[in-house]
Amino acid sequence: MDLSVNFAGVTMKNPVTTASGTFGSGAEYSEFVDLSKLGAVTTKGVSSVPWEGNPTPRICETYGGMLNAIGLQNPGADVFVKRDIPFLKKYDTRIIVNICGRTTEEYVEVVKRLAAEPVDLLEINISCPNVKAGGIAFGQDPKFVEKITDEIKQSAKQPVIMKLSPNVTDIGEVAKAAEAGGADAVSLINTLTGMKIDIHKRTFALANKTGGMSGPSVKPVAVRMVYQVANAVKIPILGMGGICTAEDALEFIMAGATMVAVGTANFHNPTATTDIIQGITDFMEQNKVTDIRELIGCVK
Amino acid sequence: MADREKKKGTAIITNQVMLSEGIYSMWLEFPETGDVAASAVPGQFISMYSQDGSMLLPRPISICEIDREERLLRVVYRVAGKGTEEFSKKKAGDIIEVVGPLGNGFSKREGKSILIGGGIGIPPMLALAKSLKGEVSIVLGYRDNNLFLKEEFEPYGNLYIATDDGSAGTKGTVIDAVIENHLAADVIYACGPLPMLRGVKAYAAENKIAAQVSMEERMACGIGACLGCVCRSKEIDGHSNVKNKRVCKDGPVFDAQEIEL
């Protein structure tokens, strides 16, 4: 049975990675799962300099999901390169580094900083709903998406995945813009902008007022968007949004995703990633599927 | 190659009682992960999971007692929402999914100590009280004369009470009780609401006493990955490379002078 996939020119032993921001750089979850079993680890967003993120509370639970407004806190590219890449290189897994910035120059700076590093793919976060500059403001304008993709591609030594926001009118148009800019792949969906009110305190549950909604309650929206993008572009898709089980992952794959990422589910089940890989294997065995590629985009 | 020593395991509830309105005491045993009680230290917490699929995030609950011989842990918690309400309805023999023990507990120091607990910050101080040697003063702050756990603390030190409404002990804060009773110490250990911890920190700084405080914050992963539960640190933190520390992983117990309250 073959679970391996070729994603933007990179061979992965299976199609399962982690969703950026839910898994750190893997150190904490390595106490629960063998990272070598994952197709890839996608890191928390890295910026050129350290970011402090938003005030707390940064987290609240919602029905079948959660809101977060971390604000892309990260130690900056220097610490990341010195500490987190060597840690991940101890494992037999691919490394996808998520990159965030406030300006095009900041993204490009990190892309250049990683050029000589043993990193397999870059995922560019142009869709974080929780930071004012950069983030989502970039991801909502197709013209800008094409331009920033093009500029990043000119400096990038690794294949580039553009991470798309669901907070748009037509995600197919944004995906086409990324493809036109030279993106090697797209990933979707980032979180949906949401809000929760604490009625007892008569205030917002999050200090940031709004946050990004994730978890199983967003999955049908994400599956629909993956299907929509699969019909709009030829580049491969890394699908995510509420994946908790192998069945969820297979929905994304059948809708057109070559790879899938597990995010919020890690908080509920620290071994969600490896449980899903096992579940996909079981499904293939039961249904006599010998090559996972038979399933990618099989629902037209 | 990874050190996969942690797992989400099933705990069996051996006993659950209501201590007072909305406050429950639960004893847990860990047939799958037998070393949970053996490795736990006072000040750590466990992540407890709902069985209702609409509630995904674990509830971090501090450890109240550790019984190494019987390999049991006790948690005492307040019903604060649907998740804790679900836990409160469980009976002996029921199961609950748990990850832990998690976080860093109190670092025991030589000398005279004052233990301070406020409200639902009282339970974790019991495990510490039982493990401390030497001269121990215990100051518990309550809203009113609903003095849950008070009697259980009595064997482990000189006990003082503060209540918001004056219905028992000193009327006022735990620090008012410390001053009124002329309590001296080399170290203060505290857990409770933020205003109380601010008071403890200020009092400790003024009197040149070391102080360790246990923090609370909204968490998602509970293991240090998501950066949801940070608190502000005085200096740049070695892990985050900014002035933030993770309550779940770097705490929940911190040296009071190293964090901003």
Side-chain angles (χ1 to χ4, degrees), chain A residues 5-12 94 120-121 159:
Chain A
V5 293
N6 179 314
F7 187 78
V10 180
T11 307
M12 310 273 179
R94 298 293 188 179
D120 297 292
L121 292 133

Side-chain angles (χ1 to χ4, degrees), chain A residues 20-70:
Chain A
S20 180
T22 64
F23 211 74
S25 286
E28 293 80 15
Y29 280 98
S30 71
E31 297 187 286
F32 293 87
V33 295
D34 180 357
L35 302 183
S36 295
K37 287 187 174 163
L38 307 184
V41 170
T42 305
T43 69
K44 167 88 180 157
V46 183
S47 53
S48 56
V49 293
W51 284 11
E52 289 202 332
N54 290 326
T56 57
R58 293 175 167 186
I59 297 284
C60 71
E61 194 175 62
T62 58
Y63 196 93
M66 62 179 287
L67 297 173
N68 88 80
I70 309 295

